[in-house]
Amino acid sequence: MVNEESLEILELEIAMMVRALRSRTVDLDEAQELNRASYLILLLISRNGPMGVKSIAEKLHLDISTVSRQAAGLLTEELLEKKQSRTDRRSYIYDINDKGWDVIAHTRKNRKQRFSKMIDKWEDEDIDEFARLLQKFNNLMN
């Protein structure tokens, strides 16, 4: 049985974290080359290899039309390549090109610096535990 008080604290803290991240991200996204949605698509492909729209949509909990529109923007910015699927010649997959890899590296470096500043007083063990628990929590939503 889940402790009711702990559950209330967890719910409040997650809501506060989401709010804080959204308010910070709005300002930061304007200064970055990538918006949040584009960054997530690139990160997903960088971790999983070339992917089709349907797979991306499922992983990001988005509809296919939204992912198609975002992928089209990444194609226009020349950060992705669209290739015919080897398994189904009627469909396409997206893969990251050299320019896309450069943008990922740059964006990731900036994001890691921001997060590092937020938790610079934490012990390494606390950071590892927070990352582990957050990953465990996020996996529940997949």
Side-chain angles (χ1 to χ4, degrees):
M1 181 79 174
V2 176
N3 177 318
E4 193 68 29
E5 185 178 341
S6 295
L7 191 58
E8 286 178 10
I9 292 169
L10 178 64
E11 186 274 331
L12 172 64
E13 292 303 322
I14 288 173
M16 296 297 287
M17 179 180 70
V18 168
R19 184 185 184 295
L21 288 171
R22 281 189 178 152
S23 67
R24 287 174 159 242
T25 305
V26 169
D27 297 334
L28 295 171
D29 278 348
E30 292 174 5
Q32 294 178 5
E33 302 99 68
L34 290 177
N35 65 37
R36 190 174 359 149
S38 296
Y39 181 66
L40 284 174
I41 289 172
L42 288 174
L43 275 185
L44 189 61
I45 295 171
S46 76
R47 295 191 95 180
N48 295 300
M51 298 177 75
V53 171
K54 184 177 178 187
S55 297
I56 295 168
E58 288 172 358
K59 292 274 189 189
L60 295 178
H61 307 281
L62 296 169
D63 60 86
I64 292 173
S65 63
T66 299
V67 172
S68 293
R69 188 173 53 256
Q70 293 167 347
L74 289 166
L75 285 169
T76 300
E77 295 174 36
E78 299 179 347
L79 302 176
L80 283 182
E81 296 175 356
K82 188 175 182 179
K83 301 176 180 178
Q84 193 170 37
S85 171
R86 291 182 183 167
T87 57
D88 181 357
R89 294 286 185 203
R90 297 168 295 164
S91 63
Y92 292 88
I93 57 173
Y94 294 100
D95 198 3
I96 302 169
N97 61 24
D98 290 340
K99 182 179 176 185
W101 283 110
D102 290 344
V103 169
I104 289 173
H106 178 75
T107 304
R108 195 159 219 194
K109 178 182 161 210
N110 289 340
R111 285 176 170 250
K112 284 167 56 174
Q113 286 174 345
R114 284 197 317 273
F115 278 111
S116 181
K117 287 178 186 175
M118 284 190 274
I119 59 173
D120 68 343
K121 301 277 192 273
W122 287 24
E123 298 293 326
D124 287 345
E125 296 80 23
D126 292 337
I127 297 167
D128 292 342
E129 182 69 0
F130 183 65
R132 185 187 71 76
L133 291 172
L134 192 56
Q135 184 176 40
K136 184 177 180 180
F137 183 80
N138 282 333
N139 285 337
L140 294 173
M141 292 185 259
N142 291 327

